[in-house]
Amino acid sequence: MTCHRPEKIEAYLDQYNTSTDLGENEKVLDYFIPALAIRRRKVTRSVEEERSGNTDTTKRKQDEDRKSNELRGGIHKFVFLQASSAALDKLHGQYWNTGATCLWHYRNKEGGEIIVRDELMRKFINGCLEYGEKFELRTKDTDIDEGMKVTVRQGQFKDFEAEIYNVHYKGDGVRFSIAIKFFANDQYIHIHDRTPDFVTLHDQDSFVFNADFIDRIESTLLTILSRRVKKKEADPKTIKTENEQLQRLYYLHHAIIDDPLLNTQLIALMAICAILSKNALEKSKYNRLLKQRIKDLRQQPADTQNQTALAYLLTALFLSTKDPKYRRELKTLVLQQLPEHPTLRKFLALLRQL
C-alpha cells in the first residue's frame, strides 16, 4: 500500500486490530512501515558547531544527512500489510482511512493490485533493516543505462541478480550502487555504498575492480581503433565481439575517480568508446563536455599532470570532430612535453593516419 503520511498509520492499525467486531480473517496479521524503520535525519547545526566555526565538518555532515533523507524518500510512502482481501475491504471503511492517512493499493502498469509472496516480503523487510539509510526502493534512474550484471554474494539478497552503477573509485577502494528488480511496476531495490566483495562479476567484466582497469580500457580501444583506422577487413564475428567489448566498457561512463588525472582519462576514453560505438547522441554530449574540460585545463598550471589530461581530451575531441587544430595541438604536446607517454604516442600515431 502507499500513503502520504505512513508514519501516522501504526497507531491506527493497532487500534483496528483490537476492535471486537472483527472476524479472524479480517485482522491485519502483520505490517511493516519503512518510514518508522529508517528515521529521517535532522539537517541542522548544533549550538556547539555554530560556536566552533568548524564549517567544513558541519557541511559534510549536512550533506550526508540530506543524502540519507533523499535515499529514504522513495521508500517512505510504502506501507506493507499481511492481510486478507476481507481485511483490506474492512480497512477501507475505517474513519481514519482518508486524506493524508488514506491507504492506496499499489498497482502494476496494467492496474492490477500488487501482492508479494511472504518469503520475498521477509527478505525485503530484513534488507531494509540491515542496510538502513543505504537502502532505497524506486525505479531505475532514466539517465542510467542498463548496468553491469552481477550476482549478490551476501546479505538478505544473496544469489539475486543485480546491476551495478554509480561506480566510484576512491582512495580506499571502489564503491558502487546495485539495483535489484524486486517488485512489479519496474520498482527496484537499490543498495548504495557497496564494495567488490559484495557481488560476483562475470569474468569478462571483472577488470572494472582491478587496479589496472584504465590500462585495460586503453588497450581494448587502441586495438579496435587500429583495425578501423587501417581499414582491415573484419568478419561478422570480429565486429560482433568488438561491439560487445565497447558496450561492456561503456558501462563505466557514469563512473567517477577521485584522482583528477585518472578521472579525466576515463572521460576521454568513454568519449572514444561512444565514438567507436557510433552513438551520435552520446558523442554530441561528450563533445560539449570535452570542450569545457579543455577550457578549464587551459586556465590551470601547465604541469605534467594537466598536460597529460589535456592530451587525452584532445585525442578524443579530434577523433570525434576530425578538426585538424586539435590534432596539431596534440602532436605538439605529445612530442615535446610528453615524449615518454607510450599510450598517447600510440593514439597520436593512429590519429595521424586520419
Side-chain angles (χ1 to χ4, degrees):
M1 313 290 283
T2 60
C3 180
H4 290 302
R5 297 296 301 276
E7 68 277 4
K8 293 184 173 294
I9 294 297
E10 183 176 37
Y12 290 132
L13 291 175
D14 290 341
Q15 180 189 71
Y16 168 82
N17 266 350
T18 60
S19 175
T20 56
D21 64 345
L22 288 182
E24 280 303 311
N25 68 331
E26 293 177 329
K27 290 186 176 182
V28 175
L29 301 179
D30 199 2
Y31 61 81
F32 177 64
I33 305 173
L36 299 179
I38 308 177
R39 297 287 184 176
R40 288 187 65 85
R41 295 182 180 182
K42 292 183 179 180
V43 188
T44 58
R45 296 178 65 178
S46 66
V47 175
E48 290 76 13
E49 289 169 337
E50 292 281 2
R51 288 174 178 171
S52 69
N54 192 351
T55 55
D56 289 342
T57 302
T58 302
K59 186 177 185 304
R60 280 197 298 272
K61 184 179 184 305
Q62 288 176 332
D63 290 342
E64 289 175 1
D65 292 343
R66 288 192 186 94
K67 186 175 182 181
S68 171
N69 291 340
E70 288 171 4
L71 292 183
R72 68 182 293 285
I75 202 172
H76 177 268
K77 65 181 179 179
F78 286 92
V79 174
F80 298 93
L81 303 177
Q82 185 180 19
S84 67
S85 57
L88 294 179
D89 288 341
K90 191 85 172 180
L91 277 172
H92 284 307
Q94 299 302 301
Y95 73 92
W96 50 263
N97 199 357
T98 183
T101 54
C102 182
L103 290 167
W104 301 89
H105 213 122
Y106 191 63
R107 298 176 181 273
N108 59 27
K109 291 180 179 179
E110 289 72 40
E113 297 176 346
I114 293 179
I115 299 173
V116 183
R117 299 197 316 271
D118 286 349
E119 177 188 359
L120 283 180
M121 194 65 240
R122 184 54 50 191
K123 285 183 177 294
F124 176 85
I125 293 172
N126 290 340
C128 185
L129 297 174
E130 179 179 0
Y131 302 113
E133 64 196 41
K134 296 174 182 177
F135 185 91
E136 187 181 12
L137 178 65
R138 59 175 172 79
T139 57
K140 282 199 300 184
D141 292 343
T142 55
D143 62 340
I144 295 177
D145 296 337
E146 186 178 79
M148 196 174 295
K149 296 293 190 298
V150 296
T151 302
V152 180
R153 295 177 59 186
Q154 55 187 262
Q156 292 299 320
F157 305 106
K158 182 179 179 181
D159 298 329
F160 275 64
E161 291 297 313
E163 300 169 22
I164 67 171
Y165 67 98
N166 282 350
V167 182
H168 193 164
Y169 296 88
K170 300 185 175 184
D172 60 350
V174 185
R175 296 288 190 277
F176 53 85
S177 299
I178 68 168
I180 305 170
K181 190 168 186 178
F182 201 77
F183 295 122
N185 218 21
D186 290 330
Q187 286 290 329
Y188 284 73
I189 287 172
H190 297 253
I191 307 175
H192 304 279
D193 199 28
R194 299 297 91 195
T195 55
D197 60 344
F198 191 76
V199 299
T200 300
L201 279 166
H202 297 300
D203 289 342
Q204 68 269 27
D205 297 325
S206 60
F207 74 94
V208 302
F209 294 151
N210 296 337
D212 65 344
F213 78 100
I214 287 285
D215 296 334
R216 296 279 296 275
I217 295 173
E218 289 177 337
S219 177
T220 301
L221 292 179
L222 279 167
T223 300
I224 296 173
L225 181 61
S226 177
R227 186 194 66 76
R228 297 190 183 182
V229 167
K230 296 175 181 178
K231 296 182 171 57
K232 291 182 179 179
E233 291 295 328
D235 56 67
K237 184 178 179 180
T238 299
I239 294 174
K240 183 175 182 292
T241 299
E242 287 183 355
N243 288 335
E244 289 173 350
Q245 288 176 321
L246 291 170
Q247 182 182 17
R248 285 200 300 272
L249 295 181
Y250 202 61
Y251 283 143
L252 291 174
H253 70 287
H254 284 294
I256 299 172
I257 309 178
D258 279 355
D259 182 277
L261 174 56
L262 291 178
N263 195 56
T264 300
Q265 284 180 247
L266 182 63
I267 289 171
L269 294 172
M270 290 298 99
I272 292 172
C273 193
I275 295 162
L276 294 177
S277 299
K278 299 179 180 179
N279 188 328
L281 180 60
E282 293 301 298
K283 174 181 169 181
S284 178
K285 289 180 182 178
Y286 271 110
N287 282 352
R288 294 192 294 272
L289 177 59
L290 294 171
K291 290 176 181 178
Q292 183 58 52
R293 289 282 178 139
I294 289 172
K295 181 180 178 181
D296 293 341
L297 274 174
R298 295 196 196 286
Q299 299 174 4
Q300 298 178 21
D303 55 29
T304 300
Q305 177 168 302
N306 288 339
Q307 296 292 74
T308 302
L310 180 59
Y312 271 93
L313 296 172
L314 290 169
T315 297
L317 194 54
F318 171 75
L319 190 60
S320 178
T321 65
K322 301 301 188 297
D323 188 329
K325 69 181 181 183
Y326 299 125
R327 186 173 57 188
R328 286 195 298 269
E329 185 175 359
L330 174 65
K331 179 181 175 181
T332 301
L333 272 175
V334 173
L335 298 183
Q336 296 182 15
Q337 275 79 40
L338 308 165
E340 304 303 321
H341 200 293
T343 301
L344 288 172
R345 290 183 71 89
K346 289 176 183 177
F347 272 120
L348 177 61
L350 290 172
L351 298 188
R352 291 170 78 173
Q353 300 178 51
L354 294 175

